[in-house]
Every structure is written in C-alpha cells, then in structure tokens.
Amino acid sequence: MKIDSDFNDIDALGDDHIGTSSDTPLRTDAFKLSSSEKIDLIKDDVKHILETLGLDLNDDSLKGTPNRVAKMFVNEIFGGLDPHKKPSASTFDNKYKYGEMLVEKNITVYSTCEHHLLPIVGRAHIAYISNGTVVGLSKMNRIVDYYSKRPQVQERLTIQIVKELQRVLNTDDVACVIDAKHLCVNSRGIRDIESSTVTSEFGGKFKEKETRRELLDYIKLDTKF
C-alpha cells in the first residue's frame, strides 16, 4: 500500500539524519499558545506515553516526571524555538582596526536530534573577519546556544549560526565548524559510540582555500590553561 510506502520513506529519512530545509520547520500557529499552556498539554502527553509503557506514575520517583519533562521541553532544551529568547547581539566599531580573522573555538553545543529527540553534544568553532564591526565574544556563544536549543539537524544548525552572524556583523566573511556526537547513532541503531559528525559552513573570504586553511589550523591549536 502507498501509505506503508510513505511511512517507510519517512523512517528512512530520519534514520539517515537528512534535513529538509535550512530553516526550522515551524507551523504558522507555533506561538499561538503560551509557554504555560504548552507545558500543560505536553505534561498530559508525557503521562500518556509513560503509562502506555506500563510505568506506575503513583511511584514517588515517577509522579513528577511528566511535569518535569514538559517544563524541560518548553523552557530548556527547546527554548530556542521561542523568538523572544533570541539573544540581542550588540555590535561595536572596530576602533582598534583589527583586520585578521577572529576565532571563537570550543563553544559547547547541546542540541537535540529532531529525528529521535536524542541529544547532540559537541563543540562549535566560529570565525569572522571584521568589515568595521565587531561583536562581543559571549554573544557568539549565546547565538550557538539559542539555535542549538531546538530540534535540530547538525547541517541546519551550522548554517543558522553563520547566517545569524552574517546578519549581525553585516558581512559574508563568517564561518562555523561543528564536531558533535549524536546519541541517536551512539546509543541506538548502529550504536557506534566512537563516531562523531563534522559539519562546516564557509561564507565570503572563508570560501578561499588559504583563508579556510588558516581557520582550520587555528581550530587545531591545543589550548590549555
């Protein structure tokens, strides 16, 4: 039957960790409900899942789980879906005329695979070349954190980080490299605990071989304190 075929295609898409767009797929009514309304609905859904699995939610250890999971989904691990939480990235004039690339490396990435809702954990390395404007270092970390806190595909996350910094800095000369482990690969399916996934997005001057090579050499530097 065609329906069975469609479901098989969808399963295959998820198992192969393929994304369909560089934009997060949101419905037009995504923000119609308040955060508290979403928590109440998700709490009931989580309760139903756990009961369906056969768990006794009268147990002291489990009775608060539906509410904890619902709050975690809305306020924490998927908080990046809320546009009101988008970090404001103040920029400043490059008064010291620094003209080389700036690299912020080893930024912690905590995200969630949108295919199995399992964690993605890794590091992001960001670079840009100023065209007269600079941004605070912590804002780069916050941009990574904001776009990570949503159901994600690593390729999309990498692109979204670059696009946002290009917008903030008004330059195409931005790059991002992410190296991360996907628990949907490490803990289920093939269960390969050693593998990681590397993605990159290079804009402007970073498309040039020499500039890209310089960035990758910076990333390889062993920083210890």
Side-chain angles (χ1 to χ4, degrees):
M1 293 177 63
K2 186 178 185 302
I3 293 177
D4 291 337
S5 175
D6 289 342
F7 278 117
N8 288 335
D9 290 344
I10 291 170
D11 281 343
L13 182 72
D15 277 334
D16 288 337
H17 308 284
I18 297 171
T20 55
S21 170
S22 61
D23 295 321
T24 300
L26 289 169
R27 298 200 323 268
T28 55
D29 63 347
F31 309 110
K32 183 178 180 180
L33 298 175
S34 68
S35 292
S36 59
E37 289 173 322
K38 290 179 179 180
I39 289 171
D40 284 340
L41 289 171
I42 293 171
K43 177 173 62 178
D44 290 339
D45 292 335
V46 174
K47 180 175 181 289
H48 178 65
I49 290 171
L50 296 177
E51 288 177 338
T52 301
L53 289 171
L55 294 170
D56 180 5
L57 297 191
N58 292 314
D59 185 89
D60 287 342
S61 180
L62 289 172
K63 64 174 57 176
T65 297
N67 190 55
R68 283 191 294 266
V69 171
K71 290 195 296 183
M72 176 185 70
F73 274 16
V74 175
N75 297 329
E76 296 179 74
I77 66 174
F78 298 144
L81 292 172
D82 185 347
H84 295 102
K85 293 185 178 181
K86 186 175 182 178
S88 58
S90 301
T91 56
F92 310 92
D93 291 337
N94 184 7
K95 294 181 178 179
Y96 27 84
K97 305 302 180 184
Y98 180 73
E100 301 299 320
M101 75 174 67
L102 183 146
V103 181
E104 180 85 357
K105 67 176 190 172
N106 294 327
I107 300 172
T108 300
V109 171
Y110 283 115
S111 193
T112 304
C113 168
E114 68 182 34
H115 299 130
H116 295 93
L117 299 186
L118 286 171
I120 300 171
V121 183
R123 300 285 183 181
H125 314 284
I126 300 175
Y128 72 89
I129 300 172
S130 174
N131 70 346
T133 301
V134 296
V135 67
L137 295 179
S138 67
K139 298 302 183 185
M140 297 168 71
N141 297 63
R142 295 182 190 281
I143 287 171
V144 172
D145 188 59
Y146 174 72
Y147 285 102
S148 296
K149 282 189 166 60
R150 54 180 65 180
Q152 271 293 13
V153 175
Q154 188 172 320
E155 296 92 330
R156 181 196 298 136
L157 174 60
T158 311
I159 293 170
Q160 288 177 334
I161 291 168
V162 168
K163 282 185 174 180
E164 178 63 13
L165 278 167
Q166 287 175 329
R167 184 192 67 80
V168 168
L169 292 162
N170 193 30
T171 179
D172 289 334
D173 302 334
V174 178
C176 178
V177 178
I178 297 178
D179 183 4
K181 284 183 173 289
H182 294 236
L183 265 70
C184 49
V185 173
N186 302 146
S187 68
R188 59 160 297 282
I190 193 65
R191 289 180 293 179
D192 182 349
I193 64 172
E194 298 298 329
S195 67
S196 68
T197 301
V198 179
T199 51
S200 62
E201 178 72 7
F202 300 110
K205 293 179 181 177
F206 288 97
K207 291 184 180 294
E208 300 171 5
K209 185 176 180 180
E210 184 176 329
T211 306
R212 187 164 63 243
R213 182 72 264 166
E214 183 181 351
L215 166 60
L216 297 177
D217 286 342
Y218 277 131
I219 291 174
K220 289 190 295 186
L221 289 174
D222 189 13
T223 307
K224 292 182 179 180
F225 296 96

